């Protein structure tokens, strides 16, 4: 396993050669022409197809958010993107708040076990993020974010069967500049961020340093001690160097360090003496209530009325040690255009150190408390060769192509020292993934307004996994060692036709897959299992349109994704007591289909209107298994279950108006309303996990001086103080909890820019 950081850094510095600016992942989007912006909507440059091109010319379902929009919407972490794009949910795992539950077009997972693969691909400056633990990232000093919907198996690779997120940090400018902002708001939330650009060698070498700090008290109140819990305490630092080595070569290297010393919020325990029933399932043996209310250790909590806890924004959790998790990452993008071809090498290393405590049951007893101690390391390298504009290998500009190779190494080790119904236990797991890929992509202009594009990717995955359950540490069972290899070929084909220079239609066929994995820590040898990859085949029809001299933009996509071999935890019979175990196996298939509309308009100068609408029909087409934890109930048809965190309807509406005050500056009003229809936060659709449809309103009023150097803002989130749950589950029959979404928040901020 890879543990030598020095060798990784030497590799980053010594092997980073070549690539074209047209292929640079972090290529800066050019500033919009001032005259065009005054009259109509500007186009954002995206890199979804590994080259820079206008969003409106890209035949993919892509939502692009530039730095201005991110600042206007006050995006501070990755979950804020849920409110800005259709058919996506990025939920924080409240039982381990450094991790993420991601969903795109109904496909995702609630498991953050490092032995399982992520369901969507998240990249930062072109570097793939290997695991969902540590994926709850702060977004500061970001140039642009692209949300890609639909399989991206050719260019993003594995674990992008429903789409991916591409985050580009801001590259340093060529002149000295600085920007800073400090804000204060509800729950004593203090948030400060800023950056400084310095030209080190005029015309050749430029540097930037940025920092981000946030501290708050949290909004969860402990009704036993009176303390507030869930406070934020994070700090991040980033440094970047951009070298321009002649007219044809650029090299961007960035390093980042993050620290999370926040506290566990504790969940709200809602355990009752009622049985935990999966709605729609027929039971031979009736289900039992959670052990919280039936076990001698904790049943008094339910008998004396302490539980269920129905008081919003409260918990009874004990105050454990704060988190002390650290992230260190380095990314290198070196680009050179040799003339005939362009070469690119993107190299990255990330190490995440996890130290976290979680009181999952949210009571003063140790029904289920966990202390995580993990190390996660990943190294990747991608090399691409592509045609250059006018290089002689592009058929006079009609052909654009690239070929590439990819190497990825990820290893981890993790202890979980937990307390279950008052009894301490320890588990351990470690593993390694090595992945290799070759890929190619090409776009050919059949006619001046008709283009055919396609790509193919061959991937080889090799994985090992070792686990030690409590029975190992008690001297009963041995450790369990597993090894497996998988291969996959993914492809995509797209035909797009430009009806006019501002109106395009396209049809796309694409495949992708999520890698195979293992049960993280099987309790006994009988629970050891291996899950093969999940695969998808998708069709998408889309249209991108600008009307009225770029004053109105309407983008439409209609899609159908067919998933096979979905990984689910089920009950399997065995020959020894208790005569069943739960395993992670490929037992289901499903279809997600729907439509999305993204609209922007600038009816008059200074006013921008925006709206997104998503319709999603996500359903199982085959799912026959036992999920009750009781073998006597047998297998059942489970296709009636709804996918968790999946709303049939999502909608966002917003507006920004900029009033020119002449020499007194500008006054900017911005508001956004985000609605989603009902969803359930549990895999088995338990009644307590049902959330009715609701909407959240946010807004900002900002004054900027005439020179755009100083600003003052007042802002608010969830202005109508809407209550909703954003998480919850019945954990292994032990206890039942929910987590409450944030209530109304307000704040003020002051910024400078020079």
């Amino acid at each position: 396993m890879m543990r030598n950081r020095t060798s990784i850094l030497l590799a980053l510095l010594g092997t980073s050669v070549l690539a074209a600016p047209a292929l640079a992942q972090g290529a800066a989007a050019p500033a919009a022409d001032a005259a065009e912006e005054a009259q109509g909507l500007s186009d954002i440059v995206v890199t979804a197809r590994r080259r820079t091109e206008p969003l409106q010319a890209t035949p993919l379902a892509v939502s692009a958010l530039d730095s201005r929009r991110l600042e206007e919407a006050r995006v501070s972490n990755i979950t804020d993107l849920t409110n800005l794009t259709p058919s996506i949910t990025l939920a924080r795992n409240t039982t381990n708040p450094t991790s993420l539950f991601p969903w795109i077009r109904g496909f995702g997972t609630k498991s953050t076990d490092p032995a399982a693969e992520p369901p969507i691909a998240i990249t930062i400056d072109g570097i793939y993020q290997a695991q969902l633990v540590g994926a709850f990232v702060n977004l500061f000093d970001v140039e642009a974010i692209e949300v890609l919907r639909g399989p991206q198996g050719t260019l993003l690779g594995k674990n992008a069967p429903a789409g991916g997120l591409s985050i580009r940090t801001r590259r340093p400018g060529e002149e000295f500049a600085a920007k800073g902002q400090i804000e204060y708001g509800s729950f004593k939330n203090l948030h400060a961020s800023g950056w400084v650009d310095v030209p080190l060698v005029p015309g050749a070498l430029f540097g930037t340093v940025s920092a981000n700090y946030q501290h708050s008290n949290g909004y969860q109140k402990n009704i036993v001690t009176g303390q507030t819990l869930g406070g934020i305490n994070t700090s991040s630092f980033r440094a970047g160097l951009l070298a321009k080595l002649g007219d044809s070569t650029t090299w961007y290297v960035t390093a980042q360090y993050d620290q999370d010393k926040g506290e566990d919020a504790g969940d709200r325990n809602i355990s009752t003496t009622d049985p935990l029933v999966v709605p729609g399932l027929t039971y031979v043996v009736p289900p039992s209530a959670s052990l919280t209310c039936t076990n001698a250790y904790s049943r008094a909590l339910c008998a004396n009325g302490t539980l269920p806890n129905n008081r919003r924004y409260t918990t009874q959790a004990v105050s454990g040690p704060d988190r002390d998790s650290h992230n260190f990452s380095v990314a290198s993008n070196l680009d050179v255009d040799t003339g005939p071809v362009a070469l690119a090498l993107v190299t990255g290393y990330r190490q995440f150190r996890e130290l976290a405590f979680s009181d999952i049951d949210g009571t003063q007893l140790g029904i289920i408390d966990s202390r995580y101690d993990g190390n996660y390391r990943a190294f990747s390298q991608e090399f691409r060769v592509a045609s250059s504009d006018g290089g002689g290998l592009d058929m006079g500009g009609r052909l654009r192509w690239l070929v590439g190779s990819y190497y990825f190494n990820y290893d981890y080790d993790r202890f979980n020292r937990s307390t279950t119904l008052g009894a301490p236990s320890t588990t351990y797991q470690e593993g390694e993934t090595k992945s290799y890929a070759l890929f190619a992509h090409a776009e050919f202009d059949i006619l001046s307004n008709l283009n055919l594009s396609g790509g193919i990717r061959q991937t080889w995955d090799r994985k090992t996994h070792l686990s030690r359950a409590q029975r190992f540490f008690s001297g009963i069972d041995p450790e369990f060692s597993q090894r497996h290899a998988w291969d996959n070929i993914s492809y995509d084909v797209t035909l797009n036709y430009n009806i006019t220079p501002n109106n395009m239609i396209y049809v796309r066929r694409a495949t992708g897959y999520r890698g195979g994995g293992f049960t993280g820590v099987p309790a006994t040898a009988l629970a050891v299992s291996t899950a093969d990859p999940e695969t998808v085949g998708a069709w998408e029809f889309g249209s991108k349109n600008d009307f009225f001299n770029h004053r109105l933009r309407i983008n439409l996509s209609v899609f159908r994704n067919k998933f096979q071999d979905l990984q689910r935890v089920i009950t399997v019979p065995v020959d020894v007591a208790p005569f069943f175990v739960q395993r992670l196996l490929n037992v289901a298939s499903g279809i997600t289909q729907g439509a999305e509309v993204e609209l922007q308009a600038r009816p008059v100068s200074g006013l921008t209107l925006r709206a997104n609408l998503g319709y999603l029909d996500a359903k199982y087409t085959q799912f026959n298994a036992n999920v009750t934890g009781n073998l006597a109930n047998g297998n059942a048809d489970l296709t009636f279950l709804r996918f968790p965190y999946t709303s049939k309807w999502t909608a966002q509406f917003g507006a920004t108006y900029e009033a020119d005050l002449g020499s007194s500056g500008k006054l900017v009003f911005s508001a956004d309303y985000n609605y989603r229809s009902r969803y359930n936060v549990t895999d088995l659709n338990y009644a307590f996990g049902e959330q009715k449809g609701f909407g959240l309103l946010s807004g900002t009023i900002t004054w900027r001086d005439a020179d755009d150097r100083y600003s003052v803002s007042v802002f608010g989130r969830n202005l109508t103080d809407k209550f909703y749950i954003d998480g919850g589950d019945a954990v292994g029959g032990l206890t039942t909890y929910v987590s409450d979404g944030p209530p109304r928040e307000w704040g003020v901020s002051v910024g400078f820019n020079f």
Side-chain angles (χ1 to χ4, degrees), residues 416 418 424-428 467-480 521-528 574 576-578 580-581:
N416 181 5
S418 61
S425 64
T426 299
T427 64
Y428 172 80
S467 62
R468 298 168 182 165
Q470 174 59 35
R471 290 165 62 91
F472 168 86
F473 292 101
S474 300
I476 300 174
D477 279 346
E479 64 183 18
F480 307 128
V521 185
T524 69
L526 296 173
V528 174
V574 295
V576 297
F580 70 89
V581 294

Side-chain angles (χ1 to χ4, degrees), residues 151-170:
Q152 310 294 322
T154 301
L155 293 176
L156 284 189
K158 69 171 184 173
N159 300 333
L165 297 177
S166 176
I167 301 169
R168 299 201 307 268
T169 62
R170 185 190 57 84

Side-chain angles (χ1 to χ4, degrees), residues 357-380:
F357 168 80
S358 182
D359 185 343
I360 299 172
D361 61 271
T363 74
Q364 60 268 50
L365 297 180
I367 299 171
I368 176 168
D369 299 340
S370 290
R371 290 171 172 83
Y372 301 101
D373 183 350
N375 267 294
Y376 311 85
R377 298 157 291 266
F379 172 80
S380 64

